[in-house]
C-alpha cells in the first residue's frame, strides 16, 4: 500500500547533508529478494538514476526531478508507524544522494538500515546490510564492492555467469553470493541458475518472491 507524505516546500538543502530527498514511492511489505527474503521491511524508493538498465522495471524512478522532495523526518515517521524496523533504501540509484542524515535518523529511531545499490557511486550513510547488484551499463566502484554483505547478480543471459564471477572476485570473503533470474527471462534462466548453483555451491538462488506473492 502506498502512502502520501507531506511534500517539502521552500528552500531545500544541497545533496550534502540534505534535509529532504526525492521520494518516488514508499510502502511496508515483505522483502522479496536476496538474503533478507521473507522479512518485513519498509521500502523508501528514491528518485534519480543514470545507470540505465534496459530491463529496469522502475524506469519512472530515473528522473529525480519528477518526484517530490520529502523531509527526512517525515520518511522516518512513515517507517516507524509500522511494527517492522527494517528500512530498505532503494531506487533508482540511492547513492546518487548523500544518505548520511537519512540513515542516522533511521538508526536513532531504532531501525535497521539496508541498501540496494548498483555500487556505481561512493557509499554514504550507516548500513546494517549492503546489497550490491552490479549493472553492466555503469560499473560498480571497487570500494563499494569491498563493503558489500550481499552480491546479487541479475542473470539476463548465459554470459552473465562469467560476469558474476568477475564481481565475486572483488567482494569480501564473507559476502553472500546470489544469482537472480531477470523476471522476463525467468523461465529460460532459472534452470540454468539452478544447475550453476549445484555446480558452484558458494552461490545461492535468489527469486523475486514478491512478484510470485503479488505484493509490492
Amino acid at each position: 500500500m502506498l502512502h502520501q507524505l507531506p511534500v517539502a516546500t521552500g528552500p531545500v538543502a544541497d545533496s550534502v547533508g540534505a534535509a529532504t530527498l526525492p521520494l518516488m514511492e514508499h510502502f511496508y511489505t515483505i522483502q522479496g529478494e536476496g538474503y533478507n527474503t521473507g522479512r518485513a521491511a519498509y521500502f523508501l524508493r528514491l528518485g534519480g538514476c543514470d545507470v540505465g538498465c534496459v530491463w529496469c522495471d522502475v524506469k519512472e524512478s530515473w528522473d529525480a526531478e519528477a518526484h517530490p522532495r520529502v523531509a527526512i523526518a517525515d520518511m522516518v515517521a512513515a517507517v516507524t508507524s509500522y511494527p517492522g524496523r527494517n528500512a530498505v533504501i532503494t531506487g533508482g540509484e540511492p547513492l546518487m544522494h548523500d544518505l548520511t542524515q537519512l540513515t542516522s535518523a533511521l538508526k536513532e529511531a531504532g531501525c535497521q538500515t539496508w541498501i540496494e545499490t548498483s555500487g556505481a557511486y561512493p557509499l554514504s550513510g550507516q548500513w546494517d546490510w549492503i546489497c550490491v547488484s552490479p549493472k553492466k551499463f555503469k560499473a560498480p566502484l571497487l570500494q563499494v564492492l569491498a563493503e558489500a554483505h550481499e552480491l546479487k547478480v541479475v542473470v539476463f543471459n548465459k554470459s552473465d555467469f562469467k560476469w558474476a564471477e568477475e564481481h565475486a572476485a572483488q567482494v569480501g570473503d564473507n559476502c553472500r553470493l546470489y544469482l537472480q533470474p531477470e523476471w522476463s527471462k525467468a523461465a529460460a534462466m532459472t534452470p540454468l541458475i539452478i544447475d550453476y548453483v549445484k555446480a558452484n555451491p558458494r552461490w545461492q538462488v535468489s527469486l523475486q518472491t514478491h512478484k510470485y506473492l503479488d505484493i509490492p
Side-chain angles (χ1 to χ4, degrees):
M1 180 179 178
L2 303 183
H3 309 282
Q4 295 293 323
L5 289 182
V7 176
T9 59
V12 295
D14 298 340
S15 59
V16 177
T20 65
L21 290 165
L23 185 64
M24 175 190 159
E25 61 179 352
H26 56 107
F27 48 87
Y28 187 53
T29 188
I30 301 296
Q31 169 64 279
E33 304 176 3
Y35 178 79
N36 289 304
T37 293
R39 299 183 67 185
Y42 200 104
F43 277 67
L44 297 169
R45 186 182 302 282
L46 302 182
C49 186
D50 62 357
V51 178
C53 303
V54 294
W55 39 258
C56 176
D57 57 3
V58 283
K59 288 187 172 72
E60 60 270 33
S61 70
W62 290 5
D63 182 4
E65 298 301 318
H67 304 292
R69 294 194 71 96
V70 173
I72 285 171
D74 290 328
M75 286 191 265
V76 174
V79 173
T80 56
S81 67
Y82 288 87
R85 287 294 179 269
N86 301 312
V88 181
I89 314 305
T90 186
E93 175 41 66
L95 288 177
M96 289 184 73
H97 310 285
D98 186 333
L99 301 176
T100 304
Q101 279 196 338
L102 176 59
T103 54
S104 293
L106 285 167
K107 292 189 77 63
E108 286 175 8
C111 296
Q112 292 278 301
T113 54
W114 304 345
I115 189 170
E116 299 186 358
T117 174
S118 69
Y121 283 86
L123 201 63
S124 61
Q126 305 172 55
W127 302 104
D128 297 294
W129 194 259
I130 299 169
C131 173
V132 177
S133 183
K135 304 299 185 292
K136 292 181 177 178
F137 316 100
K138 191 164 187 173
L141 302 177
L142 292 177
Q143 58 265 41
V144 180
L145 285 168
E147 296 293 327
H149 301 104
E150 172 182 345
L151 178 71
K152 184 174 65 184
V153 176
V154 176
V155 178
F156 188 76
N157 55 49
K158 292 180 181 179
S159 67
D160 290 333
F161 293 106
K162 180 176 183 294
W163 191 75
E165 293 290 358
E166 291 170 358
H167 287 83
Q170 299 172 356
V171 298
D173 292 340
N174 295 321
C175 183
R176 306 294 289 261
L177 305 178
Y178 290 89
L179 297 170
Q180 178 172 296
E182 196 278 324
W183 182 250
S184 70
K185 294 289 192 76
M189 292 298 111
T190 301
L192 300 181
I193 292 173
I194 291 170
D195 288 344
Y196 193 88
V197 170
K198 288 166 69 176
N200 302 274
R202 68 180 185 138
W203 289 92
Q204 294 176 246
V205 178
S206 173
L207 298 175
Q208 291 182 291
T209 61
H210 55 292
K211 294 191 174 182
Y212 292 100
L213 297 172
D214 195 25
I215 57 176

